[in-house]
Amino acid sequence: MLEIKNLHVSLEDEDKQILKGVNLTVEAGKVHAIMGPNGSGKSTLSYVLSGRDGYEVTDGEASLDGEDLLDMEPEERAAAGLFLAFQYPVEIPGVGNMTFLRTAVNAQRKARGQDEMNATEFLKLIRAKAKDLKIDADMLKRPVNVGFSGGEKKRNEILQMAMLEPKMCILDETDSGLDVDAMKLVSDGVNALRDAGRGFLVITHYQRLLDHIKPDVVHIMANGQIIKTGGPELALEVEQHGYAHLLEEVA
Amino acid sequence: MALPQTKLDATEARIAVLDMPEGGWSGPARQAALARLREMGLPGRRDEYWKFTRPDTLVQPEPPVAALFDPGERPAFDEIDKLKIVFTDGVFNEAASDDLSLEGVTIERLATSGSDLHWAQSLYGQLEANGQVPVHRPLAALNTAFATDGVLIHVTGKPSKPISISYRHESQTSDAILHHVVKVDAGAEVTILENGPAAARFNKCMEIDVADGAKLHHVRTQGRDHERRAATHIFARLGAESVFKSFTLTANGVMTRNEVVIELTGDDAMAHVAGACVGDGDFHHDDTVFVTHDAVNCESRQVFKKVLRNGATGVFQGKILVKQGAQKTDGYQISQSLLLDEDSQFLAKPELEIYADDVACSHGSTSGAIDEEALFYLRSRGVPENQAVNLLTLAFLAEAVQEIEDERLADEISTRIEEWLIRHRD
C-alpha cells in the first residue's frame, strides 16, 4: 500500500540532510511502528509524506497504491487516502470543529467524484463516532482545537480519522501528552479502524502505546535511516535496553 | 488662524457648485455649519487626520465618473421583513419605497419636513457640531449645510421590523449628500439597515441620539460598485444604560472613509462599533473612530477587520478618550488586517487618551498573512487550498461579524463575504 524507496530529504532553508535513504513498505491490513531516538527523522518522514512545505526530496520515491505521493498537493494526498494524525494538532480560531470536519469530508468526497454528504447524514455519523471517543457536543461546536486539552486534541485527531476513513493512517507521536486513560481511549479509536484494507504507520518513542495498538512490524529509525526491522519483540527490546545498544550494534 | 490660500480656494470652489436648500427649521443649523466649514476648510493632503487617506476626490467640486456595476446578486437584506426607504443617486425614490408609517416610530423626510418647529431641530447639525472637537470633520459640516434630503426617524416604541435605507446608484456622475437624524426615546428600540452604493460620490451623515435605556442596532453594507466613493459620518450620543451597536460591511469601492463619533454621556451605557471590509485591487478603505467616555461604568468596543489583496489599502484611526470622572470605563479596541499578498497595506493609528484612574482599556493592532500551519492542517484533511484560505479568511473576519446581535443579519453578512471570496479566487 505505502511504498517508500530510498527516500532522501533535506531542509529547504538550510543545507541539512534529515532522511538518508529510507526504505519502507506498509501492506494493507498491517500496523507498522517506527521507533527511534529524538532527531532520527521520524516526524520529518510523516511531514514529507503528507506534503508539508519546507522539505526538499533530493532522491527516492514514495507512493500510495502505486500513485506517486510526492507529486501531489497535500489535499490530493488526503483525497488519495493518506491521513496524518498530527503530533501537535493546530488550533484554528473562528472555524467551528463541525464546519471543519464537514468541509473536509465533503471536499474529499468531491475530489473522489462522490456526492457530498448532506447535513442530516453528516450529523448522524459524527454523533455516533464522537460518542465512541467521548467527544461531547460542546467540543464539536468549539473552534478547531482551541482551548482543547492535550488529550482532547488527540481524540479530535482520531475523530477526523474516523470520519475521513483513510486508506493509510500515519500517527505521529499520538501518545505524547496523553495520560493512561486518554491513551486507552485513543488506542481503542485506532483499533476500531483496523481492517484488512487499511494500513497504519505508528510513530512513537515508547513501547507503551504499542501495548494498546499491537504492531505487526517494528522499525527502528536512527540518523535518517531505518536501521533495524523486526516483530513486536523489537519494541520490548528498546523498552528494556534503550536505543544505545541498537545503535552500537549497527555501527 | 487663517486658512492657507489653497485650502480656502478648494473649499470655496466646492461650495460654489452647491446650493443650500431652503431648509425651513434646519436653516439656522445649515448656516452655522457653513460658517464652521469656512472656518475649518475642507480636508487637504497635509492634514494630520487625513495622513493615510487622500481627500482629493472626496473634496473636489465634481466627483470622478464612477462606472455602474451589476453585482449579480440580491440586494442586501432582501429577505428580511422591513420598512423600505429608497434613494436613487441621492434622490428619494417614492415608487420603490414603502409607506413611511410604522407603529412605534415616526418617519419623515428632511426635504419635506416643513418650516415649523421640529423635534429634529435640537439634533440636526448639533451632534455634528459637538463632534468637531477636538478633531475637525469638515465633510460632515459640508453635509449639514448642503444635504438635499435624508430621513428623520423618531423612535417612540419598539417597531416590529427594521427600518431599511437603500441607496441605488444609477448615474455615473451623481454626487449625493444625505443627512439622517435618528432619535430613540427612553426605553425604545430600533434596528436600522443601510445598503447600496448610493452614488458616484456619496457624502452621508447620520446623527443619532439614544436616550436612557434605549437601544439602537445598525447594520450596513456599502455596495459593491468598484468605482464609487463615499465619505460617511455617524455621530451618536448615548444616554444612561443605553445600547448602540453598529456594524459595516464594505466590499469593493475605490474610496471609502467611514467616520464614527460616539459620546457616552450617561452611566452604564454600551457602544459597540465594528466593521469588516474585503478589498481587491483598487480599493482604499478608511475607518476613523472616536469614542469619548464621559460617564461612569460604560463599555465600548471597536472591532475592525480588513482583508486586503492585489494592492488594496486599509486604514484604521481609532481613539478612546476617557474623560476625568469616567471611572470604571471598559474600553476595547482591535484593528487587524489580513494581507493576502505583499502588495497590499494596512495603516493603523490606535490611540488611547485617559484622564480617569480606575479604567480598563486595551487596544491592539496587527497585520498578518494567512497562518501557514492552519492552512497546511486544513489541506492535509483534504480541503483544497483556495477553499482553506477562504475558510481562514472568514474565521479572521468572524470577530467583527459576531458583533451583530441579530443572527439572521449576521448569517447574511457571512454569506455575502463568503460569496465575495469565492468570486475573487485566483
Side-chain angles (χ1 to χ4, degrees):
Chain A
M1 173 167 281
L2 177 67
E3 270 199 80
I4 302 169
K5 283 183 197 158
N6 193 31
L7 191 63
H8 285 71
V9 172
S10 58
L11 291 179
E12 233 167 43
D13 292 342
E14 39 188 312
D15 190 23
K16 192 180 171 192
Q17 189 95 25
I18 310 281
L19 299 183
K20 302 168 183 171
V22 173
N23 290 289
L24 179 69
T25 301
V26 180
E27 310 82 6
K30 300 287 185 199
V31 174
H32 284 231
I34 296 187
M35 302 180 75
N38 289 327
S40 57
K42 306 187 299 295
S43 287
T44 296
L45 178 63
S46 73
Y47 286 141
V48 169
L49 291 175
S50 57
R52 190 191 182 105
D53 280 345
Y55 302 97
E56 193 186 343
V57 175
T58 53
D59 199 6
E61 51 195 78
S63 63
L64 183 63
D65 280 343
E67 284 186 86
D68 180 8
L69 278 176
L70 302 178
D71 205 30
M72 298 183 201
E73 296 295 331
E75 54 267 35
E76 293 170 333
R77 302 180 195 207
L82 186 79
F83 181 92
L84 169 66
F86 281 53
Q87 183 180 359
Y88 304 108
V90 180
E91 299 187 4
I92 313 182
V95 177
N97 210 10
M98 194 89 101
T99 308
F100 162 62
L101 270 164
R102 198 166 155 217
T103 307
V105 167
N106 280 333
Q108 292 202 14
R109 291 177 73 104
K110 201 173 156 192
R112 297 191 201 111
Q114 298 166 313
D115 284 341
E116 292 194 1
M117 205 184 269
N118 71 39
T120 324
E121 270 178 289
F122 177 81
L123 212 60
K124 211 172 137 188
L125 190 66
I126 197 169
R127 280 196 182 134
K129 306 236 186 219
K131 200 177 160 204
D132 293 340
L133 288 159
K134 297 206 164 75
I135 289 174
D136 59 22
D138 182 54
M139 254 176 84
L140 291 176
K141 271 188 220 147
R142 272 150 59 188
V144 180
N145 293 325
V146 177
F148 286 25
S149 70
E152 285 174 335
K153 283 182 182 169
K154 296 300 172 78
R155 265 146 62 199
N156 203 29
E157 293 293 289
I158 306 304
L159 174 65
Q160 292 165 36
M161 197 163 95
M163 290 299 294
L164 295 168
E165 300 184 323
K167 282 195 278 197
M168 180 67 220
C169 308
I170 304 171
L171 281 70
D172 186 9
E173 299 198 23
T174 294
D175 51 340
S176 68
L178 293 187
D179 61 28
V180 182
D181 294 334
M183 176 119 62
K184 174 92 174 41
L185 208 57
V186 164
S187 305
D188 288 349
V190 172
N191 288 329
L193 288 167
R194 290 180 73 158
D195 76 33
R198 186 171 285 138
F200 285 87
L201 188 60
V202 180
I203 296 170
T204 182
H205 275 295
Y206 304 106
Q207 141 75 17
R208 56 178 191 165
L209 179 67
L210 304 178
D211 284 341
H212 297 286
I213 306 172
K214 298 252 182 316
D216 299 296
V217 183
V218 175
H219 308 274
I220 306 298
M221 193 164 178
N223 195 24
Q225 285 180 317
I226 286 171
I227 57 164
K228 191 165 184 178
T229 296
E233 71 286 348
L234 191 53
L236 289 170
E237 199 183 323
V238 167
E239 189 73 2
Q240 279 162 15
H241 306 293
Y243 292 113
H245 87 283
L246 281 174
L247 293 173
E248 280 164 24
E249 208 175 275
V250 175
Chain B
M1 201 175 77
L3 293 178
Q5 194 60 41
T6 47
K7 194 167 224 187
L8 202 64
D9 291 346
T11 305
E12 290 306 326
R14 176 69 179 123
I15 291 170
V17 299
L18 293 166
D19 291 318
M20 189 182 291
E22 276 299 313
W25 59 266
S26 66
R30 290 174 183 275
Q31 290 296 345
L34 179 58
R36 270 199 296 286
L37 172 62
R38 287 199 151 118
E39 208 171 294
M40 296 184 277
L42 282 167
R45 289 177 63 182
R46 300 201 170 168
D47 293 2
E48 178 67 19
Y49 215 43
W50 289 83
K51 194 168 149 189
F52 301 134
T53 298
R54 288 184 63 164
D56 316 29
T57 57
L58 297 172
V59 165
Q60 68 194 47
E62 304 294 342
V65 169
L68 302 179
F69 177 77
D70 176 9
E73 64 179 357
R74 288 182 298 106
F77 318 124
D78 206 31
E79 289 185 358
I80 305 273
D81 184 26
K82 60 198 179 296
L83 186 139
K84 202 162 99 183
I85 303 165
V86 181
F87 290 91
T88 302
D89 294 305
V91 178
F92 181 63
N93 184 333
E94 190 163 10
S97 300
D98 290 336
D99 178 62
L100 300 187
S101 55
L102 181 66
E103 200 175 323
V105 61
T106 62
I107 305 169
E108 289 167 88
R109 282 176 45 217
L110 174 63
T112 55
S113 58
S115 56
D116 295 341
L117 281 176
H118 197 278
W119 63 262
Q121 200 167 354
S122 62
L123 294 172
Y124 188 90
Q126 303 304 311
L127 299 186
E128 175 259 295
N130 292 346
Q132 298 290 355
V133 182
V135 196
H136 289 163
R137 306 174 199 281
L139 287 167
L142 179 138
N143 182 300
T144 298
F146 295 104
T148 54
D149 206 346
V151 186
L152 310 173
I153 301 173
H154 184 191
V155 187
T156 51
K158 294 182 177 173
S160 59
K161 52 187 177 186
I163 295 159
S164 149
I165 310 174
S166 285
Y167 307 106
R168 296 182 187 169
H169 174 205
E170 292 179 4
S171 152
Q172 296 192 10
T173 54
S174 53
D175 191 22
I177 306 179
L178 294 178
H179 193 117
H180 309 309
V181 180
V182 183
K183 180 176 160 68
V184 192
D185 282 353
E189 180 171 356
V190 70
T191 297
I192 292 182
L193 308 175
E194 290 183 283
N195 75 290
R201 181 170 68 183
F202 190 31
N203 180 330
K204 192 204 64 182
C205 186
M206 188 184 258
E207 292 175 291
I208 302 173
D209 184 47
V210 191
D212 294 355
K215 286 184 184 165
L216 182 129
H217 304 272
H218 173 238
V219 180
R220 74 172 153 176
T221 68
Q222 290 189 287
R224 293 201 354 255
D225 291 29
H226 291 278
E227 296 181 8
R228 63 133 191 88
R229 291 161 202 275
T232 79
H233 291 82
I234 292 174
F235 296 94
R237 180 171 69 194
L238 275 69
E241 295 177 32
S242 66
V243 173
F244 169 86
K245 288 192 175 184
S246 173
F247 172 89
T248 301
L249 169 65
T250 309
N252 306 345
V254 66
M255 168 62 67
T256 308
R257 164 97 161 192
N258 290 334
E259 296 194 25
V260 179
V261 183
I262 297 169
E263 205 179 348
L264 296 137
T265 62
D267 296 348
D268 306 302
M270 182 200 277
H272 290 191
V273 49
C277 81
V278 285
D280 186 350
D282 208 356
F283 174 88
H284 184 105
H285 183 92
D286 176 336
D287 284 300
T288 291
V289 182
F290 198 114
V291 177
T292 304
H293 283 260
D294 197 12
V296 174
N297 201 34
C298 291
E299 179 195 307
S300 71
R301 281 171 70 83
Q302 302 172 36
V303 181
F304 287 87
K305 303 262 188 165
K306 297 175 175 19
V307 175
L308 305 165
R309 62 184 296 186
N310 289 328
T313 299
V315 175
F316 176 78
Q317 303 189 101
K319 181 159 181 170
I320 305 174
L321 169 64
V322 181
K323 289 198 173 174
Q324 210 172 0
Q327 301 294 5
K328 306 284 180 196
T329 286
D330 179 2
Y332 174 75
Q333 180 196 86
I334 184 101
S335 62
Q336 295 181 306
S337 74
L338 178 62
L339 304 176
L340 295 178
D341 53 46
E342 286 174 1
D343 301 329
S344 303
Q345 59 170 347
F346 177 54
L347 306 159
K349 188 180 171 194
E351 286 181 282
L352 296 178
E353 192 176 333
I354 302 173
Y355 296 100
D357 55 10
D358 184 14
V359 302
C361 281
S362 62
H363 66 141
S365 184
T366 64
S367 235
I370 286 279
D371 179 353
E372 290 294 331
E373 291 282 318
L375 185 62
F376 174 64
Y377 192 62
L378 287 166
R379 294 178 71 190
S380 79
R381 297 306 180 241
V383 182
E385 187 171 7
N386 273 334
Q387 204 182 342
V389 168
N390 286 358
L391 204 58
L392 294 173
T393 304
L394 270 177
F396 166 79
L397 294 171
E399 189 187 357
V401 177
Q402 279 159 7
E403 290 291 326
I404 303 171
E405 226 173 77
D406 185 321
E407 266 183 43
R408 282 182 65 198
L409 296 173
D411 286 349
E412 173 166 351
I413 295 291
S414 291
T415 306
R416 280 179 184 275
I417 296 171
E418 201 175 347
E419 285 167 356
W420 187 93
L421 293 172
I422 290 168
R423 276 194 299 270
H424 287 257
R425 269 181 196 168
D426 279 329

